[in-house]
Amino acid sequence: MASDNKGRPPYPPFTAETAQIKVKAAQDAWNTKDPAKVKLAYTPDSIWRNRDTFLQGRDEIEVFLTKKWERENGYRLRKELFSFTDKKIAVQFWYEWYDKEGQWWRTYGLEDWTFAEDGLMRKRQMSGDDVKITHEERWYKDGVDVNTVPISEKHW
């Protein structure tokens, strides 16, 4: 379908302002937990490395995200701009989720994004670590705006 191949503003080359817009748009899209929607931010042949998983193309991305969000219950994500160049953005992120046993986790990580001229992401690399947390240690409790949660330097 042609509408699946539309570009996504803002377009490269990025400025501090447009890179920040791109990061928060990705955060908001991922927080929908809608793989069919999220995959459209990537080029049809996008290349991914997510931890130890290597993917290529929107169909593989959609399958991966579907399985991810079936496993990661209560998923809430925050992304922050780390660095950028004309066509690349680096992001640090934190997300919380619980497993089928009810154990809460916080995932800390970094992403490296490369964009096509049309503003779609053509490459994504992610490295992350999962840390067990208690319910009381959660930052993103129901109803909180993830952007307003203070994250101290020890978590950077």
Side-chain angles (χ1 to χ4, degrees), residues 16-132:
E17 179 183 3
T18 60
Q20 179 68 15
I21 290 168
K22 205 67 153 170
V23 169
K24 291 303 178 176
Q27 171 188 290
D28 294 345
W30 279 61
N31 276 328
T32 69
K33 298 178 285 298
D34 182 345
K37 176 182 176 182
V38 172
K39 77 175 185 178
L40 298 179
Y42 302 91
T43 61
D45 61 347
S46 187
I47 298 168
W48 275 31
R49 181 190 54 78
N50 197 94
R51 301 178 196 234
D52 62 349
T53 302
F54 295 82
L55 309 168
Q56 185 163 12
R58 288 180 175 165
D59 292 341
E60 289 184 17
I61 291 168
E62 184 173 9
V63 169
F64 174 84
L65 292 174
T66 298
K67 290 177 183 175
K68 169 187 176 62
W69 289 321
E70 287 172 353
R71 182 180 65 255
E72 295 176 351
N73 301 292
Y75 178 94
R76 299 282 308 279
L77 166 71
R78 177 162 163 186
K79 293 181 184 275
E80 292 294 340
L81 178 63
F82 188 77
S83 184
F84 71 96
T85 63
D86 287 354
K87 292 183 181 181
K88 292 186 174 196
I89 296 176
V91 176
Q92 61 183 357
F93 66 85
W94 310 262
Y95 66 86
E96 294 177 350
W97 54 282
Y98 64 91
D99 60 26
K100 64 183 176 185
E101 286 81 31
Q103 171 64 57
W104 278 97
W105 299 86
R106 181 177 302 124
T107 301
Y108 294 80
L110 297 168
E111 291 178 319
D112 169 22
W113 303 342
T114 303
F115 289 87
E117 295 296 326
D118 64 0
L120 295 175
M121 196 181 303
R122 71 174 193 80
K123 187 180 84 169
R124 173 184 175 268
Q125 296 185 82
M126 179 277 223
S127 295
D129 297 302
D130 301 323
V131 177
K132 282 185 182 183

Side-chain angles (χ1 to χ4, degrees), residues 96-98 102-106 108 131-142 144 149-150 154-155:
E96 294 177 350
W97 54 282
Y98 64 91
Q103 171 64 57
W104 278 97
W105 299 86
R106 181 177 302 124
Y108 294 80
V131 177
K132 282 185 182 183
I133 59 172
T134 65
H135 179 77
E136 293 73 27
E137 292 173 304
R138 291 179 54 217
W139 294 337
Y140 310 140
K141 296 188 179 173
D142 295 333
V144 71
V149 173
K154 77 176 189 175
H155 294 286

